[in-house]
Amino acid sequence: MNVRALLAFGLALMLAGNPPSGSAHAADAPAAAHDGSHDFDFHMGSWKTHISRLLHPFTGSTEWVQYDGISTVSPVWNGKASLFELQASGPAGHLEGVGLRLYDPQAHQWNLNWTNSTVGRLDGAMTGEFRAGRGDFYGQESFNGRVILVRNSFSDITPNASHFEQAFSADYGRTWETNWIMTFERMTPAR
């Protein structure tokens, strides 16, 4: 099953409890698509980054490890893409990662791609968008031999800080377990 089909299935399950009404109204018409090509502009620059990582997802474990480091986000194509670079260290070791964010102007959505230095290849893209100051991106990946849903979320966005969480779902989006949290504090505060 491809990513879009899996996401559609998961979203259909989540929305199943709220079927649409039988009549359409002008107020129900879809809003004009938001040009989100600059939605990641807030994240450009250098950041002190704190990471909390759940060591054993889906086991009931509450053991988290901490890392501190620096992340740098650089614009590509005048902000319609960006490159996210992360280096962090902590008691559990050293992390090096790279993210490539690409804006799809037809879908008005972003595709987030990630890899780390121990893997050396991009994961499957996470697809989503920003609404009301929050960005949610969904995809799938293999975890312990099973295909699971993954959600990446950006929230609490200010000129000098933001919050990121990754969560996994093994039940098509009915429940989510957060396993990765990053907080960002701008190295040189914006004025």
Side-chain angles (χ1 to χ4, degrees):
M1 182 178 284
N2 71 31
V3 172
R4 291 191 190 260
L6 184 60
L7 291 174
F9 178 71
L11 291 173
L13 286 174
M14 289 189 290
L15 298 174
N18 298 316
S21 64
S23 61
H25 302 287
D28 295 333
H34 166 69
D35 175 11
S37 63
H38 291 281
D39 284 347
F40 271 109
D41 284 1
F42 76 92
H43 211 212
M44 300 302 168
S46 297
W47 303 85
K48 289 187 268 185
T49 307
H50 179 77
I51 301 167
S52 299
R53 179 173 67 95
L54 183 64
L55 277 180
H56 307 289
F58 297 135
T59 65
S61 171
T62 59
E63 184 179 359
W64 290 78
V65 292
Q66 310 299 313
Y67 303 84
D68 285 296
I70 302 292
S71 55
T72 304
V73 183
S74 305
V76 178
W77 303 332
N78 194 31
K80 293 180 180 163
S82 65
L83 187 65
F84 172 80
E85 298 176 80
L86 169 70
Q87 293 221 20
S89 296
H94 184 71
L95 300 173
E96 294 177 313
V98 172
L100 177 62
R101 301 166 177 164
L102 302 166
Y103 184 69
D104 179 340
Q106 280 73 44
H108 300 279
Q109 293 181 315
W110 284 87
N111 294 292
L112 281 52
N113 304 272
W114 175 256
T115 190
N116 67 61
S117 61
T118 64
V119 174
R121 67 182 176 281
L122 291 174
D123 290 343
M126 309 278 296
T127 303
E129 60 196 74
F130 284 84
R131 290 188 183 170
R134 179 183 173 90
D136 288 309
F137 306 87
Y138 297 88
Q140 69 178 12
E141 69 180 54
S142 179
F143 183 82
N144 291 339
R146 296 182 59 199
V147 175
I148 62 165
L149 289 179
V150 182
R151 179 182 66 209
N152 286 351
S153 300
F154 291 85
S155 62
D156 302 329
I157 299 167
T158 71
N160 294 310
S162 63
H163 182 88
F164 169 89
E165 289 189 11
Q166 175 179 273
F168 288 168
S169 176
D171 58 10
Y172 302 101
R174 285 188 287 275
T175 61
W176 294 91
E177 179 181 64
T178 299
N179 59 62
W180 183 281
I181 300 169
M182 286 192 290
T183 56
F184 299 96
E185 182 183 336
R186 190 175 294 279
M187 300 277 288
T188 303
R191 294 176 188 215

